[in-house]
Amino acid sequence: MKRRRLLRSATLSALALGVGRPARAADLDVVIVGAGVAGLAAARSLMAAHKSVLVVEARERIGGRAVTDSTTFGFPFDQGAQWIEAGKTNPAMAILREANARPIPDRQEQTLYISGKELPQNEYARFEKIAVDASRKIAAALKKPPPLAGLGVTPGKEPDVIVGRLLAPQDPLERLAYALVGPLEAGVENSELSARDFTRQPDTEPQYAVAEGLGAVIARWGAKVPVKLATRVVRIDSTGTLVQVVTTNGELGARAVIVTVPTGVLAAGPFSFAPPLKAAKREAIAQLPMALYNKIALSFAGKAIDAPGGRGVSGLTRKGQAFDAIVRPHNRDAAVVFVGGAQARELEEQGGSAAVSFALSAMAEIYGDELRGAVAHSFATRWGRDPFARGSWSMAIPGRVEARLVLAQPHHDRVFFAGEATDPVWATRVGGAYASGLRAAGEALALLGGKR
Ligand SMILES: Cc1cc2nc3c(=O)[nH]c(=O)nc-3n(C[C@H](O)[C@H](O)[C@H](O)COP(=O)(O)OP(=O)(O)OC[C@H]3O[C@@H](n4cnc5c(N)ncnc54)[C@H](O)[C@@H]3O)c2cc1C
């Protein structure tokens, strides 16, 4: 019964769309696991090639780690992905084109604070120099063959360096600058950060945002894809004629399957394969653990923050905790504070309102204690506790960047892998998810044989 209901809904969506062939039981070309950017990109590509597809999604919405809260704060709050960086080459720009969304160049002016006080002007130049020197040190260390164990270089096919071994802060300004490399950019401490994984992606400029929120654009872009929501996949069995996809809502059969779930989900399960994944694939999953980066949104009743709209603020609190923030986003009386790495994990562990208290204190140190009484709404993301993400994005452990290529390999010929973690250049970002979805769709098409 369950199975028939599941397949019937897929059939109806596909027919309503006028795409692909009507799907009969056990007659889907491709089942895609996960309706994030990777799954949606794969589905759109296969639908364009007239294949019958169904995306199975555990959540009650599409978009995965890209989601916009458009109602709570009076401005679109992207809880996950927000910017498209390196817009000249980023594959994710195609999503904006396909969704008819106008990219808005987004270059924030950054102000720096230590213990609630803005840095004097001459310190800005020193900060800039520290940041530039840090990038140079990382690039130079990667070029140095052969790897030097004393520098934190770990063996692997390509030489790699642990960033923390290169950047040892000597004063608060260096601590802030280096926190903006590991925790507040990559979501891991510098002591866990692979220089090769960190430098894989092109520079960030130009960076784009969209007025309605990136999550909202992605939801609109993926709206016509047939998706079975609130249905968790627990097992993929490719030992029979068709690949069986076992879900919490029945079973599906397909000629090929594309798996796009985050590495955190693959590692933690419940998610199994028959035949089991090869050891190399299991190792690759373990070598691409989830980093953590969270956002805390605060809105205020009245003008609590005296700053120009959309200003970037980075700093160290009086307790020496690093944070990044955007104040007065969309010219609203609000702030979005970003935390990453160990600090983000600690706040998640403390639970309750710890993250909101942290963000409020960081803002109060700069803008005054009165804003504490003016909070209208607040929300802190907890991506590490999200059972369908288990973190924010994958970061390779030092020396193991090739794991991304291993993860991207098909399993047992008919099970393909996509998702940000599998992209060799744009991993961690929407661009990687998008490119990987197209790549996996191409692999599935090669198996199924062109248009039909
Ligand atoms: C706080 C934060 C900020 C970010 N900022 C940016 C940014 O500014 N720019 C940028 O480019 N990137 C950013 N990212 C990263 C970006 O969001 C991701 O790289 C991208 O969205 C990943 O897409 P995906 O399709 O690979 O995975 P996901 O979006 O995670 O999609 C996988 C889907 O699989 C589903 N799923 C999981 N388990 C199961 C199961 N068992 N059965 C069925 N379905 C399942 C999930 O619910 C999810 O919908 C950010 C991420 C976070 C968390």
Side-chain angles (χ1 to χ4, degrees):
M1 269 309 280
K2 272 187 183 154
R3 176 173 174 179
R4 195 173 308 133
R5 252 205 326 269
L6 197 61
L7 291 173
R8 206 168 69 111
S9 69
T11 308
L12 288 177
S13 325
L15 282 175
L17 291 166
V19 291
R21 295 171 297 114
R24 283 182 287 116
D27 195 27
L28 284 159
D29 287 321
V30 187
V31 164
I32 298 168
V33 187
V37 169
L40 296 171
R44 286 174 54 104
S45 167
L46 289 163
M47 287 159 72
H50 304 285
K51 298 299 173 193
S52 59
V53 295
L54 176 63
V55 182
V56 183
E57 168 54 51
R59 300 177 201 268
E60 293 187 351
R61 59 164 181 83
I62 64 170
R65 284 171 274 166
V67 54
T68 306
D69 173 353
S70 309
T71 53
T72 310
F73 295 100
F75 66 92
F77 169 47
D78 273 311
Q79 298 181 357
Q82 181 168 358
W83 291 285
I84 295 185
E85 299 134 356
K88 289 205 179 100
T89 50
N90 193 325
M93 290 300 280
I95 299 176
L96 305 195
R97 281 195 299 277
E98 288 161 15
N100 255 327
R102 193 169 65 85
I104 304 167
D106 195 40
R107 198 177 300 133
Q108 296 130 21
E109 220 178 274
Q110 199 186 21
T111 44
L112 303 171
Y113 290 80
I114 300 222
S115 303
K117 294 210 169 55
E118 191 181 347
L119 287 186
Q121 276 312 309
N122 58 335
E123 286 287 87
Y124 272 80
R126 189 162 81 85
F127 181 83
E128 187 72 25
K129 185 172 179 321
I130 295 169
V132 170
D133 285 351
S135 304
R136 286 204 185 120
K137 268 187 209 166
I138 294 170
L142 281 174
K143 279 191 195 139
K144 246 187 245 163
L148 299 169
L151 254 186
V153 182
T154 46
K157 283 191 194 119
E158 296 188 72
D160 200 353
V161 183
I162 297 169
V163 168
R165 302 284 177 96
L166 303 169
L167 309 181
Q170 303 299 321
D171 62 24
L173 207 53
E174 288 190 353
R175 280 197 54 209
L176 175 57
Y178 298 164
L180 290 164
V181 176
L184 291 168
E185 174 66 29
V188 298
E189 295 303 304
N190 287 324
S191 57
E192 302 161 352
L193 180 59
S194 150
R196 190 157 295 282
D197 206 29
F198 184 68
T199 54
R200 175 182 28 77
Q201 193 182 299
D203 271 351
T204 53
E205 296 294 326
Q207 176 169 287
Y208 294 102
V210 277
E212 69 195 276
L214 187 54
V217 168
I218 286 166
R220 190 154 57 71
W221 167 76
K224 290 191 174 167
V225 170
V227 182
K228 181 73 189 164
L229 294 173
T231 302
R232 191 153 48 85
V233 172
V234 291
R235 185 170 172 80
I236 293 172
D237 183 340
S238 51
T239 55
T241 323
L242 288 173
V243 186
Q244 290 296 123
V245 179
V246 182
T247 81
T248 47
N249 234 344
E251 286 178 15
L252 292 160
R255 297 166 70 203
V257 168
I258 298 176
V259 178
T260 75
V261 304
T263 51
V265 172
L266 288 172
F271 206 107
S272 65
F273 294 82
L277 294 181
K278 289 194 174 140
K281 181 80 102 188
R282 291 201 308 274
E283 273 163 28
I285 293 166
Q287 289 163 352
L288 297 167
M290 301 298 283
L292 191 58
Y293 182 82
N294 275 323
K295 301 187 186 182
I296 304 128
L298 306 166
S299 67
F300 304 101
K303 194 161 184 190
I305 292 183
D306 185 15
R311 165 153 291 182
V313 171
S314 308
L316 287 183
T317 65
R318 286 188 190 123
K319 288 187 182 156
Q321 295 149 313
F323 67 90
D324 216 4
I326 293 184
V327 298
R328 310 202 64 249
H330 297 257
N331 286 314
R332 298 295 162 148
D333 293 310
V336 179
V337 177
F338 308 90
V339 290
Q343 159 82 350
R345 282 193 200 282
E346 269 164 39
L347 290 170
E348 279 198 2
E349 269 156 33
Q350 286 168 27
S353 54
V356 169
S357 301
F358 169 77
L360 255 184
S361 295
M363 293 295 99
E365 281 183 10
I366 300 172
Y367 299 107
D369 268 332
E370 306 76 55
L371 60 69
R372 290 178 186 277
V375 177
H377 298 281
S378 63
F379 179 79
T381 64
R382 302 177 85 207
W383 286 103
R385 305 279 151 146
D386 180 324
F388 308 125
R390 297 195 180 265
S392 301
W393 50 71
S394 64
M395 282 305 296
I397 62 172
R400 292 292 176 266
V401 175
E402 317 89 81
R404 299 201 181 281
L405 299 175
V406 179
L407 182 64
Q409 293 298 310
H411 164 66
H412 207 217
D413 297 339
R414 291 177 296 163
V415 181
F416 302 97
F417 280 78
E420 53 83 12
T422 66
D423 194 80
V425 178
W426 299 93
T428 78
R429 318 313 275 163
V430 167
Y434 178 83
S436 74
L438 296 191
R439 189 238 330 124
E443 291 167 355
L445 274 180
L447 172 84
L448 299 173
K451 294 190 178 188
R452 38 190 279 178

